[in-house]
Amino acid sequence: MSATVEAQPQPSAPVQAAYSYCEAVTGQQARNFAYGIRLLPTEKRQAMSALYAFSRRVDDIGDGTLPPEAKQERLEATRALLDRVRADEIDEDDTDPVAVALADSARRFPIPLGGLDELIDGVLMDVHGATYETWDDLKVYCRCVAGAIGRLSLGVFGTQPGAQGAERAAEYADTLGLALQLTNILRDVREDAGNGRTYLPSDDLAKFGCGDGFDSDTPPAGADFAGLVHFEVRRARALFAEGYGLLPMLDRRSGACVAAMAGIYRRLLDRIERDPEAVLRGRVSLPGREKAYVAVRGLSGLDTRHIARRAVRRRV
């Protein structure tokens, strides 16, 4: 998958307006994602915004207040819209700006749109109240809702011609998605519990005496909550270390984008590790200035080169 894309005509005014809508959605709602994609050239940034806006629509259906049957109906309608994008049936006169932007992006880049089907499948797992006994079970869900996003993004980024190990690029992108999603799960453990959802594997919860749930700002009585969090943090760090194998395969600005997004989540993971019970007291986040600092380091190449060298050494 080469990073070189044939020269394309500039988007028409209606398509440009559709991209502007998607970029506005991304800027308003993507707490961490937006910091990375700002580092991309215009065409790639627009395509990533289209992917985000479509994904946000799917997530909002799953997180909304409709009954499960209505959610499923809306998700299948969204899948039908994706089928129209895949069949190249969406033109610039369509009234749905997200569909217009996504269709244009799919014409410009080799985006594996099946990844958006996987995202819908993952959200349907939420709608149906899926639970996860083991890490292998949870990985299936994480690959749907996050690994697929990594693979979709790779369709926009491309890999550099002649990049060593490029045949594994999609695998690394998928693994980085798992790392980000596991970090999200740790950060949102209290919020998810309030919505009746538990993502951490039952085997892990039992191992650390946390089977009573997380509906309080303190751990369950007798639970080794810190032990559970540190166990999952180590798992996430291992996923990050493996997924960083993608960075040496990307061009400078795509690598900076990935390094920035992953760097924000790594710092979030550091905060959770230092104070595990913070996730029970509220949402753990980084201040905007720290996110901006990580993004600048990514664009300057400071983080990207360091991570890429470590990734290459791991493969040798």
Side-chain angles (χ1 to χ4, degrees), residues 82 86 112-120 144 148-149 151-152:
L82 177 60
R86 194 163 19 228
L113 292 174
L116 292 172
D117 285 295
E118 292 182 60
L119 174 62
I120 293 170
C144 285
I149 302 301
R151 287 177 267 120
L152 286 158

Side-chain angles (χ1 to χ4, degrees), residues 24-43:
V25 170
T26 304
Q28 292 166 6
Q29 300 192 40
R31 294 183 178 90
N32 299 318
F33 188 79
Y35 282 88
I37 68 171
R38 288 174 187 168
L39 307 180
L40 295 170
T42 299
E43 194 172 57

Side-chain angles (χ1 to χ4, degrees), residues 45-125:
R45 186 183 69 246
Q46 289 177 331
M48 291 295 288
S49 294
L51 284 172
Y52 177 84
F54 188 93
S55 302
R56 180 76 264 164
R57 178 179 295 180
V58 173
D59 285 342
D60 284 347
I61 294 170
D63 292 337
T65 58
L66 293 172
E69 297 79 6
K71 287 183 178 182
Q72 178 158 346
E73 183 178 339
R74 289 192 61 186
L75 287 168
E76 294 303 343
T78 305
R79 196 193 301 273
L81 177 63
L82 177 60
D83 288 339
R84 291 182 60 214
V85 171
R86 194 163 19 228
D88 202 17
E89 295 175 357
I90 303 291
D91 61 29
E92 65 180 27
D93 296 323
D94 196 279
T95 58
D96 186 334
V98 176
V100 171
L102 182 61
D104 187 73
S105 298
R107 296 181 191 112
R108 293 172 182 272
F109 297 97
I111 299 172
L113 292 174
L116 292 172
D117 285 295
E118 292 182 60
L119 174 62
I120 293 170
D121 291 339
V123 173
L124 281 169
M125 294 169 74

